């Protein structure tokens, strides 16, 4: 994906121990007839990009983040491990949504 709005880069280790860079990407929302949509890439987790829809651009981005979080959670439940970077600390899929925003409330 080359025209993305958001990107989160992690390091992923599959259940069989193979590690790889993981680029989770969300493209800028586009108007598609009456809906809005975002292309989503799960990097090494899924080679086929997905299209996520919303009622407006904001909603499309929210739904894309939720979709990625659910898919990464699925892979985590299947034994994948995720790290901030190759030699970094382990990270949980919930960090995709809960990124420390509580400190501002």
């Amino acid at each position: 994906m080359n025209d993305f709005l958001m990107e989160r880069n992690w390091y992923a280790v599959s259940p069989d121990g193979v590690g790889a860079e993981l680029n989770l990407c969300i493209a800028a929302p586009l108007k598609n007839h009456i809906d809005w949509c975002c292309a989503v890439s799960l990097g090494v987790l899924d080679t086929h990009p997905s299209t996520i829809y919303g009622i407006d651009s904001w909603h499309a981005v929210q739904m894309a983040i939720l979709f990625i979080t659910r898919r990464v959670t699925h892979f985590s439940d299947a034994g994948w491990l995720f790290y901030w970077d190759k030699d970094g600390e382990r990270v949980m899929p919930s960090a995709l949504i809960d990124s420390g925003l509580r400190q501002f409330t």
Side-chain angles (χ1 to χ4, degrees):
M1 184 174 303
N2 54 12
D3 183 25
F4 57 85
L5 173 68
M6 304 166 65
E7 181 178 13
R8 173 62 47 96
N9 298 308
W10 282 353
Y11 190 77
V13 178
S14 70
D16 60 357
V18 177
E21 296 293 325
L22 172 62
N23 300 319
L24 304 170
C25 300
I26 300 173
L30 298 172
K31 183 105 167 145
N32 183 2
H33 302 291
I34 60 171
D35 294 323
W36 285 80
C37 63
C38 291
V40 171
S41 173
L42 296 171
V44 297
L45 299 178
D46 188 352
T47 59
H48 302 291
S50 298
T51 302
I52 307 301
Y53 294 87
I55 57 173
D56 58 23
S57 60
W58 189 287
H59 187 240
V61 170
Q62 286 180 312
M63 293 297 98
I65 292 169
L66 185 58
F67 172 80
I68 289 174
T69 302
R70 287 180 176 160
R71 294 295 295 141
V72 172
T73 298
H74 167 79
F75 281 94
S76 178
D77 291 346
W80 285 74
L81 301 174
F82 302 102
Y83 300 88
W84 285 109
D85 53 45
K86 187 173 182 177
D87 298 317
E89 293 181 31
R90 188 154 173 221
V91 63
M92 301 306 291
S94 60
L96 292 166
I97 293 178
D98 183 15
S99 303
L101 293 177
R102 287 185 220 152
Q103 68 183 339
F104 299 110
T105 57

